[in-house]
Amino acid sequence: MTATLTVLTEGYVGPRTASTVSLLRDGDVVVVVDPGMVADRELILGPLDAAGVVPGQVTDVVFSHHHPDHTLNAALFPAARYHDHWAVYQDDLWTDRPADGFALSPSIRLAATPGHTAEDISTLAETADGLVVLTHLWWSSDGPVEEPYATDPAALHASRRAILDLSPALVVPGHGAAFTPTAATPG
């Protein structure tokens, strides 16, 4: 079995900022990645409903990092476990674990990808079309090449290279449309 991807809403950066919010499914595992800032919550809930998922069915929520533009709408998913760089949280239970290599399902795992922040993680999903990486290593297909808010630019570039070395079929960036990496993708 492989995971399926649905991009619920494409993010953007400018005078206004929104996160790219995505849905992954693998068997009984239903994951929302980066339920952050959007112009209206219906931009998350409408496509989720169109995909046949109600918020209470979401089993897991992944935060690429803890900036509000990627976490603001986490409470929409009351039954979910929440994942970040060092733990899993559900209700009043906090379970420490490193994110790197942690499997949410047979086809979905987390990877430590520092750079934007020291705590950034990416979600890797094996799909029928190949590996999909949901990440904040890029805002969009254009990068930016030098990310102005990166806490560690060298780590960001190293994490980008590590992800590109996995030969992903698709990258879902933090604030833009999904793209197929090419030789011109900023590394």
Side-chain angles (χ1 to χ4, degrees):
M1 180 173 264
T2 60
T4 60
L5 166 72
T6 304
V7 175
L8 300 175
T9 187
E10 289 180 3
Y12 45 86
V13 175
R16 292 175 166 265
T17 299
S19 176
T20 298
V21 183
S22 300
L23 172 69
L24 293 168
R25 290 186 269 195
D26 186 18
D28 293 335
V29 176
V30 181
V31 182
V32 171
V33 179
D34 281 349
M37 292 170 59
V38 291
D40 185 307
R41 287 184 178 98
E42 276 304 310
L43 293 170
I44 297 172
L45 296 173
L48 189 70
D49 182 61
V53 176
V54 297
Q57 292 174 306
V58 173
T59 60
D60 298 88
V61 171
V62 176
F63 303 128
S64 62
H65 61 293
H66 278 285
H67 289 166
D69 55 326
H70 295 274
T71 62
L72 190 63
N73 285 296
L76 292 173
F77 310 104
R81 299 180 305 167
Y82 295 85
H83 301 267
D84 69 4
H85 68 286
W86 69 347
V88 179
Y89 314 90
Q90 187 170 28
D91 300 324
D92 64 348
L93 183 61
W94 175 325
T95 306
D96 288 335
R97 60 93 185 98
D100 198 46
F102 184 81
L104 281 73
S105 75
S107 300
I108 303 170
R109 67 188 187 283
L110 305 177
T113 52
H116 177 67
T117 71
E119 298 83 20
D120 268 43
I121 61 173
S122 295
T123 305
L124 285 63
E126 297 292 343
T127 72
D129 296 322
L131 178 67
V132 174
V133 179
L134 299 89
T135 185
H136 199 281
L137 291 171
W138 295 270
W139 294 0
S140 69
S141 60
D142 297 328
V145 174
E146 297 303 329
E147 207 249 272
Y149 303 112
T151 59
D152 187 339
L156 178 85
H157 289 287
S159 292
R160 284 177 175 176
R161 284 190 298 279
I163 291 298
L164 292 173
D165 286 348
L166 297 175
S167 301
L170 195 67
V171 170
V172 180
H175 296 283
F179 66 91
T180 301
T182 67
T185 299

Short mmCIF file of all heavy atoms in Angstrom, two decimals, residues 18-78:
data_model
loop_
_atom_site.label_atom_id
_atom_site.label_comp_id
_atom_site.label_asym_id
_atom_site.label_seq_id
_atom_site.Cartn_x
_atom_site.Cartn_y
_atom_site.Cartn_z
N ALA A 18 0.30 32.61 3.79
CA ALA A 18 -0.48 31.40 4.07
C ALA A 18 0.42 30.19 3.88
O ALA A 18 1.33 30.19 3.06
CB ALA A 18 -1.69 31.31 3.14
N SER A 19 0.13 29.18 4.65
CA SER A 19 0.86 27.92 4.57
C SER A 19 0.22 27.02 3.52
O SER A 19 -0.99 27.04 3.33
CB SER A 19 0.79 27.22 5.93
OG SER A 19 1.39 25.95 5.89
N THR A 20 1.05 26.22 2.86
CA THR A 20 0.51 25.13 2.05
C THR A 20 0.09 24.04 3.04
O THR A 20 0.87 23.61 3.87
CB THR A 20 1.56 24.59 1.07
OG1 THR A 20 1.93 25.65 0.18
CG2 THR A 20 1.02 23.41 0.27
N VAL A 21 -1.18 23.63 2.95
CA VAL A 21 -1.74 22.63 3.86
C VAL A 21 -2.08 21.40 3.02
O VAL A 21 -2.74 21.51 1.99
CB VAL A 21 -3.01 23.16 4.57
CG1 VAL A 21 -3.54 22.13 5.56
CG2 VAL A 21 -2.73 24.50 5.24
N SER A 22 -1.61 20.24 3.49
CA SER A 22 -1.77 19.02 2.71
C SER A 22 -2.37 17.89 3.53
O SER A 22 -2.27 17.86 4.75
CB SER A 22 -0.40 18.57 2.18
OG SER A 22 0.16 19.57 1.36
N LEU A 23 -2.94 16.95 2.79
CA LEU A 23 -3.54 15.74 3.36
C LEU A 23 -2.83 14.53 2.79
O LEU A 23 -2.67 14.42 1.57
CB LEU A 23 -5.03 15.70 2.98
CG LEU A 23 -5.81 14.43 3.31
CD1 LEU A 23 -5.98 14.28 4.82
CD2 LEU A 23 -7.18 14.46 2.61
N LEU A 24 -2.40 13.64 3.67
CA LEU A 24 -1.82 12.35 3.27
C LEU A 24 -2.69 11.25 3.86
O LEU A 24 -3.13 11.34 5.02
CB LEU A 24 -0.39 12.20 3.80
CG LEU A 24 0.66 13.11 3.21
CD1 LEU A 24 1.94 13.03 4.04
CD2 LEU A 24 0.93 12.76 1.75
N ARG A 25 -2.91 10.20 3.07
CA ARG A 25 -3.65 9.04 3.57
C ARG A 25 -2.87 7.78 3.25
O ARG A 25 -2.33 7.64 2.15
CB ARG A 25 -5.04 8.97 2.95
CG ARG A 25 -5.94 10.07 3.45
CD ARG A 25 -7.34 9.90 2.95
NE ARG A 25 -7.46 10.62 1.69
CZ ARG A 25 -8.61 10.93 1.12
NH1 ARG A 25 -9.74 10.55 1.65
NH2 ARG A 25 -8.64 11.61 0.00
N ASP A 26 -2.80 6.90 4.22
CA ASP A 26 -2.16 5.59 4.05
C ASP A 26 -2.93 4.61 4.91
O ASP A 26 -2.75 4.56 6.14
CB ASP A 26 -0.69 5.67 4.48
CG ASP A 26 0.07 4.38 4.19
OD1 ASP A 26 -0.41 3.56 3.38
OD2 ASP A 26 1.14 4.18 4.79
N GLY A 27 -3.84 3.87 4.30
CA GLY A 27 -4.70 2.97 5.06
C GLY A 27 -5.57 3.77 6.01
O GLY A 27 -6.23 4.72 5.62
N ASP A 28 -5.50 3.42 7.30
CA ASP A 28 -6.31 4.10 8.32
C ASP A 28 -5.65 5.38 8.83
O ASP A 28 -6.23 6.08 9.66
CB ASP A 28 -6.57 3.17 9.50
CG ASP A 28 -7.47 2.00 9.13
OD1 ASP A 28 -8.27 2.13 8.17
OD2 ASP A 28 -7.38 0.94 9.79
N VAL A 29 -4.45 5.67 8.39
CA VAL A 29 -3.72 6.86 8.84
C VAL A 29 -4.10 8.03 7.94
O VAL A 29 -3.97 7.96 6.72
CB VAL A 29 -2.20 6.61 8.83
CG1 VAL A 29 -1.45 7.87 9.21
CG2 VAL A 29 -1.85 5.47 9.79
N VAL A 30 -4.57 9.12 8.57
CA VAL A 30 -5.01 10.32 7.87
C VAL A 30 -4.22 11.48 8.48
O VAL A 30 -4.39 11.80 9.65
CB VAL A 30 -6.53 10.54 8.01
CG1 VAL A 30 -6.96 11.79 7.26
CG2 VAL A 30 -7.30 9.32 7.53
N VAL A 31 -3.35 12.09 7.67
CA VAL A 31 -2.40 13.08 8.17
C VAL A 31 -2.64 14.44 7.51
O VAL A 31 -2.76 14.52 6.29
CB VAL A 31 -0.94 12.64 7.86
CG1 VAL A 31 0.06 13.64 8.43
CG2 VAL A 31 -0.67 11.24 8.38
N VAL A 32 -2.68 15.48 8.32
CA VAL A 32 -2.68 16.85 7.81
C VAL A 32 -1.32 17.44 8.15
O VAL A 32 -0.85 17.34 9.28
CB VAL A 32 -3.82 17.69 8.41
CG1 VAL A 32 -3.66 19.16 8.04
CG2 VAL A 32 -5.18 17.17 7.92
N VAL A 33 -0.68 18.04 7.15
CA VAL A 33 0.64 18.63 7.33
C VAL A 33 0.52 20.16 7.26
O VAL A 33 -0.05 20.70 6.31
CB VAL A 33 1.64 18.13 6.26
CG1 VAL A 33 3.01 18.78 6.45
CG2 VAL A 33 1.77 16.61 6.32
N ASP A 34 1.03 20.81 8.29
CA ASP A 34 1.13 22.27 8.38
C ASP A 34 -0.21 23.01 8.27
O ASP A 34 -0.41 23.86 7.39
CB ASP A 34 2.11 22.83 7.35
CG ASP A 34 3.55 22.68 7.79
OD1 ASP A 34 3.79 22.34 8.97
OD2 ASP A 34 4.45 22.91 6.96
N PRO A 35 -1.14 22.73 9.20
CA PRO A 35 -2.43 23.43 9.17
C PRO A 35 -2.29 24.85 9.73
O PRO A 35 -2.78 25.16 10.82
CB PRO A 35 -3.31 22.55 10.06
CG PRO A 35 -2.35 22.01 11.07
CD PRO A 35 -1.08 21.77 10.31
N GLY A 36 -1.64 25.69 8.99
CA GLY A 36 -1.32 27.02 9.47
C GLY A 36 -2.25 28.10 8.98
O GLY A 36 -3.43 27.86 8.71
N MET A 37 -1.69 29.28 8.84
CA MET A 37 -2.48 30.45 8.45
C MET A 37 -3.03 30.30 7.04
O MET A 37 -2.33 29.86 6.13
CB MET A 37 -1.60 31.70 8.52
CG MET A 37 -1.20 32.07 9.93
SD MET A 37 0.06 33.38 10.01
CE MET A 37 -0.72 34.72 9.16
N VAL A 38 -4.31 30.64 6.89
CA VAL A 38 -5.01 30.71 5.61
C VAL A 38 -5.98 31.88 5.71
O VAL A 38 -6.33 32.31 6.81
CB VAL A 38 -5.75 29.40 5.26
CG1 VAL A 38 -4.77 28.28 4.96
CG2 VAL A 38 -6.69 28.97 6.38
N ALA A 39 -6.44 32.37 4.58
CA ALA A 39 -7.35 33.52 4.59
C ALA A 39 -8.69 33.19 5.24
O ALA A 39 -9.34 34.06 5.80
CB ALA A 39 -7.57 34.02 3.16
N ASP A 40 -9.09 31.92 5.17
CA ASP A 40 -10.36 31.48 5.74
C ASP A 40 -10.22 29.98 6.03
O ASP A 40 -9.71 29.24 5.17
CB ASP A 40 -11.49 31.74 4.73
CG ASP A 40 -12.86 31.42 5.27
OD1 ASP A 40 -13.08 30.28 5.76
OD2 ASP A 40 -13.74 32.29 5.19
N ARG A 41 -10.68 29.53 7.17
CA ARG A 41 -10.56 28.11 7.52
C ARG A 41 -11.25 27.20 6.51
O ARG A 41 -10.92 26.02 6.39
CB ARG A 41 -11.09 27.87 8.93
CG ARG A 41 -10.15 28.41 9.98
CD ARG A 41 -10.62 28.09 11.39
NE ARG A 41 -9.63 28.61 12.33
CZ ARG A 41 -9.75 29.77 12.96
NH1 ARG A 41 -10.80 30.54 12.77
NH2 ARG A 41 -8.80 30.16 13.79
N GLU A 42 -12.21 27.72 5.79
CA GLU A 42 -12.88 26.92 4.75
C GLU A 42 -11.91 26.50 3.65
O GLU A 42 -12.18 25.55 2.92
CB GLU A 42 -14.08 27.66 4.17
CG GLU A 42 -15.33 27.52 4.99
CD GLU A 42 -15.73 26.05 5.23
OE1 GLU A 42 -15.80 25.27 4.27
OE2 GLU A 42 -15.95 25.70 6.41
N LEU A 43 -10.80 27.21 3.52
CA LEU A 43 -9.78 26.81 2.54
C LEU A 43 -9.09 25.51 2.94
O LEU A 43 -8.47 24.85 2.11
CB LEU A 43 -8.75 27.92 2.35
CG LEU A 43 -9.31 29.19 1.71
CD1 LEU A 43 -8.30 30.32 1.79
CD2 LEU A 43 -9.69 28.91 0.26
N ILE A 44 -9.21 25.13 4.21
CA ILE A 44 -8.76 23.83 4.68
C ILE A 44 -9.94 22.87 4.75
O ILE A 44 -9.89 21.76 4.21
CB ILE A 44 -8.09 23.94 6.08
CG1 ILE A 44 -6.83 24.81 6.01
CG2 ILE A 44 -7.76 22.54 6.63
CD1 ILE A 44 -6.22 25.13 7.37
N LEU A 45 -11.01 23.30 5.40
CA LEU A 45 -12.13 22.40 5.67
C LEU A 45 -12.92 22.02 4.41
O LEU A 45 -13.37 20.87 4.29
CB LEU A 45 -13.07 23.04 6.69
CG LEU A 45 -12.44 23.25 8.08
CD1 LEU A 45 -13.38 24.04 8.97
CD2 LEU A 45 -12.07 21.91 8.70
N GLY A 46 -13.07 22.95 3.47
CA GLY A 46 -13.79 22.64 2.23
C GLY A 46 -13.12 21.54 1.42
O GLY A 46 -13.75 20.52 1.10
N PRO A 47 -11.83 21.68 1.09
CA PRO A 47 -11.15 20.62 0.36
C PRO A 47 -11.04 19.32 1.15
O PRO A 47 -11.07 18.23 0.58
CB PRO A 47 -9.76 21.21 0.08
CG PRO A 47 -9.95 22.68 0.14
CD PRO A 47 -11.02 22.90 1.17
N LEU A 48 -10.94 19.42 2.48
CA LEU A 48 -10.91 18.21 3.31
C LEU A 48 -12.23 17.46 3.15
O LEU A 48 -12.24 16.24 2.93
CB LEU A 48 -10.67 18.60 4.76
CG LEU A 48 -10.39 17.47 5.74
CD1 LEU A 48 -9.03 16.85 5.47
CD2 LEU A 48 -10.45 17.97 7.17
N ASP A 49 -13.34 18.19 3.21
CA ASP A 49 -14.66 17.59 3.02
C ASP A 49 -14.79 17.00 1.62
O ASP A 49 -15.30 15.89 1.45
CB ASP A 49 -15.74 18.65 3.27
CG ASP A 49 -17.14 18.07 3.14
OD1 ASP A 49 -17.48 17.15 3.91
OD2 ASP A 49 -17.89 18.55 2.26
N ALA A 50 -14.30 17.72 0.61
CA ALA A 50 -14.36 17.22 -0.76
C ALA A 50 -13.55 15.93 -0.92
O ALA A 50 -13.87 15.10 -1.78
CB ALA A 50 -13.85 18.29 -1.74
N ALA A 51 -12.54 15.77 -0.08
CA ALA A 51 -11.72 14.54 -0.11
C ALA A 51 -12.37 13.42 0.70
O ALA A 51 -11.81 12.33 0.80
CB ALA A 51 -10.32 14.84 0.43
N GLY A 52 -13.54 13.71 1.29
CA GLY A 52 -14.25 12.69 2.04
C GLY A 52 -13.77 12.49 3.46
O GLY A 52 -13.99 11.44 4.05
N VAL A 53 -13.12 13.51 4.02
CA VAL A 53 -12.58 13.42 5.38
C VAL A 53 -13.21 14.51 6.24
O VAL A 53 -13.25 15.67 5.84
CB VAL A 53 -11.04 13.59 5.36
CG1 VAL A 53 -10.47 13.58 6.77
CG2 VAL A 53 -10.38 12.50 4.51
N VAL A 54 -13.69 14.12 7.42
CA VAL A 54 -14.15 15.11 8.39
C VAL A 54 -13.02 15.31 9.39
O VAL A 54 -12.18 14.43 9.60
CB VAL A 54 -15.46 14.67 9.09
CG1 VAL A 54 -16.59 14.55 8.07
CG2 VAL A 54 -15.28 13.40 9.86
N PRO A 55 -12.94 16.49 10.01
CA PRO A 55 -11.81 16.79 10.89
C PRO A 55 -11.55 15.75 11.98
O PRO A 55 -10.41 15.45 12.30
CB PRO A 55 -12.19 18.15 11.49
CG PRO A 55 -12.99 18.80 10.42
CD PRO A 55 -13.80 17.67 9.83
N GLY A 56 -12.60 15.14 12.53
CA GLY A 56 -12.43 14.13 13.57
C GLY A 56 -11.79 12.85 13.09
O GLY A 56 -11.37 12.02 13.90
N GLN A 57 -11.70 12.65 11.77
CA GLN A 57 -11.06 11.45 11.21
C GLN A 57 -9.56 11.62 11.04
O GLN A 57 -8.87 10.64 10.77
CB GLN A 57 -11.68 11.10 9.86
CG GLN A 57 -13.11 10.64 9.93
CD GLN A 57 -13.69 10.44 8.54
OE1 GLN A 57 -13.67 11.34 7.71
NE2 GLN A 57 -14.22 9.25 8.30
N VAL A 58 -9.06 12.83 11.19
CA VAL A 58 -7.63 13.06 11.04
C VAL A 58 -6.91 12.43 12.23
O VAL A 58 -7.19 12.76 13.39
CB VAL A 58 -7.31 14.57 10.92
CG1 VAL A 58 -5.81 14.82 10.94
CG2 VAL A 58 -7.96 15.13 9.65
N THR A 59 -6.02 11.50 11.95
CA THR A 59 -5.32 10.76 13.01
C THR A 59 -4.05 11.46 13.46
O THR A 59 -3.62 11.28 14.60
CB THR A 59 -4.96 9.34 12.55
OG1 THR A 59 -4.10 9.41 11.40
CG2 THR A 59 -6.22 8.53 12.22
N ASP A 60 -3.42 12.23 12.54
CA ASP A 60 -2.13 12.84 12.84
C ASP A 60 -2.02 14.21 12.18
O ASP A 60 -2.51 14.41 11.06
CB ASP A 60 -0.99 11.95 12.31
CG ASP A 60 -0.97 10.59 12.97
OD1 ASP A 60 -1.66 9.67 12.49
OD2 ASP A 60 -0.27 10.47 14.00
N VAL A 61 -1.35 15.12 12.87
CA VAL A 61 -1.01 16.43 12.33
C VAL A 61 0.48 16.60 12.49
O VAL A 61 1.04 16.32 13.55
CB VAL A 61 -1.77 17.57 13.07
CG1 VAL A 61 -1.24 18.93 12.66
CG2 VAL A 61 -3.27 17.46 12.82
N VAL A 62 1.14 17.04 11.41
CA VAL A 62 2.60 17.26 11.44
C VAL A 62 2.87 18.75 11.27
O VAL A 62 2.32 19.40 10.38
CB VAL A 62 3.31 16.48 10.31
CG1 VAL A 62 4.80 16.80 10.29
CG2 VAL A 62 3.08 14.98 10.47
N PHE A 63 3.74 19.27 12.15
CA PHE A 63 4.22 20.64 12.04
C PHE A 63 5.64 20.60 11.48
O PHE A 63 6.53 20.03 12.12
CB PHE A 63 4.27 21.33 13.41
CG PHE A 63 2.96 21.36 14.14
CD1 PHE A 63 2.89 20.92 15.44
CD2 PHE A 63 1.81 21.84 13.54
CE1 PHE A 63 1.69 20.96 16.15
CE2 PHE A 63 0.61 21.89 14.23
CZ PHE A 63 0.55 21.44 15.54
N SER A 64 5.86 21.22 10.33
CA SER A 64 7.23 21.27 9.81
C SER A 64 8.13 22.06 10.75
O SER A 64 9.31 21.78 10.87
CB SER A 64 7.26 21.88 8.40
OG SER A 64 6.80 23.22 8.42
N HIS A 65 7.53 23.03 11.44
CA HIS A 65 8.21 23.82 12.47
C HIS A 65 7.14 24.61 13.22
O HIS A 65 5.97 24.60 12.83
CB HIS A 65 9.29 24.72 11.86
CG HIS A 65 8.78 25.73 10.88
ND1 HIS A 65 8.24 25.39 9.66
CD2 HIS A 65 8.73 27.08 10.94
CE1 HIS A 65 7.88 26.48 9.00
NE2 HIS A 65 8.16 27.52 9.76
N HIS A 66 7.53 25.28 14.27
CA HIS A 66 6.56 25.89 15.16
C HIS A 66 6.26 27.36 14.91
O HIS A 66 5.90 28.08 15.83
CB HIS A 66 6.99 25.70 16.63
CG HIS A 66 6.60 24.35 17.15
ND1 HIS A 66 5.32 24.02 17.49
CD2 HIS A 66 7.35 23.25 17.37
CE1 HIS A 66 5.28 22.78 17.91
NE2 HIS A 66 6.50 22.28 17.85
N HIS A 67 6.34 27.83 13.69
CA HIS A 67 5.91 29.20 13.41
C HIS A 67 4.40 29.20 13.20
O HIS A 67 3.84 28.25 12.63
CB HIS A 67 6.62 29.73 12.17
CG HIS A 67 8.07 30.01 12.39
ND1 HIS A 67 8.95 30.21 11.35
CD2 HIS A 67 8.82 30.11 13.53
CE1 HIS A 67 10.16 30.44 11.83
NE2 HIS A 67 10.10 30.37 13.16
N PRO A 68 3.71 30.26 13.64
CA PRO A 68 2.24 30.28 13.56
C PRO A 68 1.69 30.09 12.15
O PRO A 68 0.60 29.53 11.99
CB PRO A 68 1.88 31.67 14.10
CG PRO A 68 3.02 32.06 14.95
CD PRO A 68 4.24 31.44 14.33
N ASP A 69 2.42 30.52 11.13
CA ASP A 69 1.90 30.35 9.78
C ASP A 69 1.81 28.88 9.37
O ASP A 69 1.23 28.56 8.34
CB ASP A 69 2.69 31.18 8.76
CG ASP A 69 4.17 30.92 8.74
OD1 ASP A 69 4.76 30.64 9.80
OD2 ASP A 69 4.77 31.03 7.65
N HIS A 70 2.34 27.96 10.21
CA HIS A 70 2.25 26.52 9.92
C HIS A 70 1.50 25.75 11.00
O HIS A 70 1.31 24.54 10.86
CB HIS A 70 3.66 25.94 9.73
CG HIS A 70 4.31 26.52 8.53
ND1 HIS A 70 4.14 26.02 7.27
CD2 HIS A 70 5.09 27.62 8.38
CE1 HIS A 70 4.80 26.77 6.40
NE2 HIS A 70 5.38 27.75 7.06
N THR A 71 1.05 26.44 12.05
CA THR A 71 0.40 25.73 13.17
C THR A 71 -0.95 26.30 13.58
O THR A 71 -1.66 25.67 14.36
CB THR A 71 1.31 25.76 14.41
OG1 THR A 71 1.51 27.11 14.83
CG2 THR A 71 2.66 25.11 14.13
N LEU A 72 -1.31 27.47 13.10
CA LEU A 72 -2.44 28.23 13.64
C LEU A 72 -3.76 27.46 13.71
O LEU A 72 -4.54 27.64 14.64
CB LEU A 72 -2.63 29.52 12.84
CG LEU A 72 -3.60 30.53 13.42
CD1 LEU A 72 -3.11 31.04 14.77
CD2 LEU A 72 -3.79 31.67 12.46
N ASN A 73 -4.02 26.58 12.76
CA ASN A 73 -5.30 25.88 12.71
C ASN A 73 -5.24 24.43 13.18
O ASN A 73 -6.10 23.61 12.84
CB ASN A 73 -5.88 25.96 11.29
CG ASN A 73 -6.42 27.35 11.02
OD1 ASN A 73 -7.38 27.77 11.67
ND2 ASN A 73 -5.80 28.06 10.10
N ALA A 74 -4.27 24.13 14.02
CA ALA A 74 -4.11 22.76 14.52
C ALA A 74 -5.34 22.27 15.28
O ALA A 74 -5.68 21.08 15.22
CB ALA A 74 -2.87 22.68 15.42
N ALA A 75 -6.02 23.15 15.99
CA ALA A 75 -7.16 22.74 16.82
C ALA A 75 -8.37 22.28 16.00
O ALA A 75 -9.34 21.78 16.59
CB ALA A 75 -7.56 23.87 17.76
N LEU A 76 -8.32 22.40 14.69
CA LEU A 76 -9.42 21.91 13.86
C LEU A 76 -9.55 20.38 13.92
O LEU A 76 -10.57 19.83 13.52
CB LEU A 76 -9.22 22.33 12.40
CG LEU A 76 -9.34 23.82 12.09
CD1 LEU A 76 -8.95 24.08 10.63
CD2 LEU A 76 -10.73 24.32 12.39
N PHE A 77 -8.51 19.70 14.44
CA PHE A 77 -8.44 18.24 14.36
C PHE A 77 -8.38 17.64 15.76
O PHE A 77 -7.33 17.28 16.28
CB PHE A 77 -7.23 17.84 13.51
CG PHE A 77 -7.22 18.58 12.20
CD1 PHE A 77 -6.34 19.64 11.99
CD2 PHE A 77 -8.12 18.26 11.21
CE1 PHE A 77 -6.35 20.35 10.81
CE2 PHE A 77 -8.15 18.98 10.02
CZ PHE A 77 -7.26 20.02 9.81
N PRO A 78 -9.55 17.49 16.41
CA PRO A 78 -9.59 17.17 17.84
C PRO A 78 -9.10 15.77 18.23
O PRO A 78 -8.71 15.57 19.38
CB PRO A 78 -11.07 17.33 18.19
CG PRO A 78 -11.79 17.11 16.91
CD PRO A 78 -10.88 17.65 15.85
#
